[in-house]
Amino acid sequence: MNLIRSLFRYISDAISPLLLYLGKWMLYCTLVGIFVGVASALFLYLLNLSTNFRETHLWIISFLPIGGLLIGLSYYYWGDSVVKGNNLLIEEFHNPQRIIPFRMAPLVLFGTVVTHFFGGSAGREGTAVQIGGAIADQLTRVMKLHNRDRRMVLVMGISAGFASVFGTPLAGAIFALEVFIVGRMRYEAIFPSFLVAVIANYVTLLLGATHTHYSIINVPAISFENIAWSIVAGVFFGLTARAFSWLIALISKVFRDKIKYPPLRPFIGGIFIAVAVYAFGAYKYIGLGLPTIHNAFEMDMPSYDFLLKLLFTTFTLGVGFKGGEVTPLFFIGATLGNALGDIIPLPIALLAGMGFVAVFAGATNTPIACIVMGMELFGLAGSVYIAIACIVSYLLSGHTGIYSAQIIGSPKNLRFGRDKGKRISEIKE
């Protein structure tokens, strides 16, 4: 009898803390998932409205400089503490200082909708991640969380935002675990990251949000030749990701150095973008560009599509407009993959799918999340090719990226060993 009591006490002592842990994070995940899911659904709805209006009233693009001025003024007077965007979330994870101000969420939502309404070239991931991070971090204030739990809450916010805006809960969860430190994952947050991603995505779908679907029908058999061609494609994707990150940083620096009054930067930049769009009829390279991404899987596209989208997006974001980088990276990768079909003997749809996630992998330093995203979006048939492209792109992009606050946890190769522990912004390549 004493043995049974001892065994029961041992099991109780071992299991009770785990049950309390699960219960606590299930509660937090439910709260964050619901609020972020609702916010993402609202954001996607407003984004669709603004995009539809712009596409049927192209004259609105001429007011892009005014939209830029509105964004610049709003951040200058009310958003100085949150202007770093995604990098602020990463910095707070590594070195907690103060709770993310809730104003980050409405400011970035406003800025992104205005950017798309008037014709800037931007995405939506950055906005969703910032909304998610700002909402989730309010738990820190309400529950008076210590730094260890706060880091997990920031992971949850990023996971919920990413998963709900793209409809990829598995990729969103892994992205949030992978994005803070290059080459390392935060496994202590694995349970809340996955749970909140599923809940946020479910809430967004429940509220009527829809996500774009793509298909890769023809996938060739694995062979040494096809593997070699996948590596070649990955090299192109990695170098493109590197160029994207470098150009955003360069344009941002030039405008900061030349224009001291921040609200004028998107105003003047907006003039250049509007003139270029009208002069060259470049309407397909502004906004999200979802129709072009879809076409890249089905038909031959102009070989310069990826380059023009890269230039329009890096300029739009570099001068101070708001929005994410990921959907433009999808556009750039898919159209680059399409263009590579002229020299690489793989199906166009497969190359487009490989580029879709591989350029993203190189620019964000999150190869595992991108491989999983490829599986969620395109199915398992092409997963080997997608994985090769993502990994090679990740390696070829070097220690660069669109998130300058990322810290190098595990260098990409031995030559970069000296960079361990540094921020990407501190590395000169």
Side-chain angles (χ1 to χ4, degrees):
M1 196 67 176
N2 288 335
L3 180 61
I4 294 175
R5 288 197 189 97
S6 298
L7 182 61
F8 179 79
R9 188 178 300 112
Y10 172 78
I11 293 174
S12 177
D13 291 343
I15 297 299
S16 294
L18 294 177
L19 292 177
L20 289 173
Y21 173 88
L22 291 176
K24 179 179 78 171
W25 288 108
M26 285 175 67
L27 173 62
Y28 291 171
C29 288
T30 301
L31 292 172
V32 172
I34 290 173
F35 284 114
V36 175
V38 170
S40 290
L42 173 63
F43 170 53
L44 292 173
Y45 173 73
L46 294 175
L47 201 56
N48 285 334
L49 283 182
S50 61
T51 299
N52 292 336
F53 183 88
R54 186 194 69 243
E55 290 178 346
T56 54
H57 303 80
L58 293 178
W59 53 266
I60 199 69
I61 299 171
S62 59
F63 291 93
L64 183 60
I66 303 301
L69 184 62
L70 290 174
I71 295 170
L73 289 171
S74 67
Y75 272 83
Y76 185 71
Y77 287 105
W78 300 296
D80 184 62
S81 61
V82 298
V83 72
K84 291 182 180 179
N86 291 345
N87 283 311
L88 177 61
L89 300 178
I90 297 174
E91 288 177 2
E92 283 296 320
F93 179 91
H94 292 302
N95 184 27
Q97 297 292 322
R98 59 190 181 87
I99 295 170
I100 303 293
F102 180 74
R103 71 172 68 97
M104 171 184 272
L107 276 173
V108 73
L109 189 150
F110 168 78
T112 304
V113 171
V114 168
T115 296
H116 284 274
F117 182 77
F118 289 106
S121 176
R124 50 192 174 175
E125 154 272 340
T127 304
V129 164
Q130 290 175 55
I131 290 173
I135 291 175
D137 207 21
Q138 303 316 303
L139 270 181
T140 302
R141 188 192 315 277
V142 175
M143 301 295 184
K144 302 188 184 306
L145 303 178
H146 48 71
N147 286 338
R148 183 184 62 186
D149 283 352
R150 187 188 175 215
R151 288 189 177 97
M152 295 178 70
V153 164
L154 289 174
V155 170
M156 287 165 51
I158 292 175
S159 174
F162 191 101
S164 57
V165 83
F166 288 122
T168 53
L170 299 182
I174 296 174
F175 177 83
L177 298 172
E178 196 176 14
V179 72
F180 293 101
I181 303 177
V182 177
R184 297 281 177 85
M185 276 200 186
R186 306 299 303 198
Y187 282 106
E188 71 274 15
I190 192 169
F191 173 71
S193 185
F194 274 87
L195 181 59
V196 78
V198 172
I199 293 173
N201 180 57
Y202 175 74
V203 170
T204 303
L205 293 175
L206 203 62
L207 293 174
T210 58
H211 301 291
T212 306
H213 298 281
Y214 308 93
S215 61
I216 300 176
I217 299 174
N218 182 19
V219 178
I222 300 295
S223 67
F224 287 114
E225 181 182 357
N226 288 339
I227 290 173
W229 282 119
S230 298
I231 294 173
V232 171
V235 171
F236 281 98
F237 298 143
L239 294 177
T240 301
R242 192 170 185 152
F244 185 92
S245 303
W246 177 77
L247 268 176
I248 284 186
L250 175 65
I251 293 168
S252 180
K253 183 179 186 302
V254 169
F255 270 73
R256 282 199 311 269
D257 292 343
K258 301 298 183 182
I259 304 172
K260 299 303 180 182
Y261 185 57
L264 282 181
R265 295 168 195 162
F267 175 79
I268 294 173
I271 294 174
F272 284 105
I273 297 169
V275 169
V277 170
Y278 283 129
F280 300 105
Y283 303 107
K284 68 189 289 187
Y285 305 112
I286 59 177
L288 293 173
L290 296 180
T292 303
I293 297 174
H294 190 271
N295 289 339
F297 285 80
E298 299 181 347
M299 63 185 72
D300 290 329
M301 306 289 290
S303 59
Y304 51 79
D305 273 353
F306 81 95
L307 180 59
L308 290 180
K309 183 63 173 179
L310 186 150
L311 294 174
F312 271 98
T313 303
T314 53
F315 194 83
T316 296
L317 298 176
V319 302
F321 284 92
K322 297 301 173 183
E325 300 91 350
V326 173
T327 305
L329 288 170
F330 292 163
F331 182 119
I332 293 165
T335 51
L336 173 57
N338 185 286
L340 289 176
D342 292 334
I343 60 173
I344 294 179
L346 291 174
I348 285 178
L350 177 60
L351 285 167
M354 291 162 61
F356 185 104
V357 289
V359 175
F360 173 32
T364 60
N365 296 304
T366 57
I368 307 302
C370 294
I371 292 170
V372 173
M373 172 175 270
M375 295 177 183
E376 285 188 286
L377 292 176
F378 312 127
L380 297 178
S383 57
V384 171
Y385 296 104
I386 286 170
I388 292 171
C390 286
I391 293 167
V392 173
S393 177
Y394 167 74
L395 293 174
L396 264 291
S397 67
H399 286 169
T400 64
I402 57 177
Y403 306 133
S404 60
Q406 281 180 317
I407 288 178
I408 307 299
S410 179
K412 296 185 180 182
N413 62 55
L414 294 178
R415 187 173 73 84
F416 291 119
R418 66 187 184 279
D419 295 337
K420 184 177 181 179
K422 292 183 180 179
R423 289 186 181 184
I424 283 179
S425 58
E426 299 172 341
I427 298 169
K428 306 294 182 185
E429 291 201 338

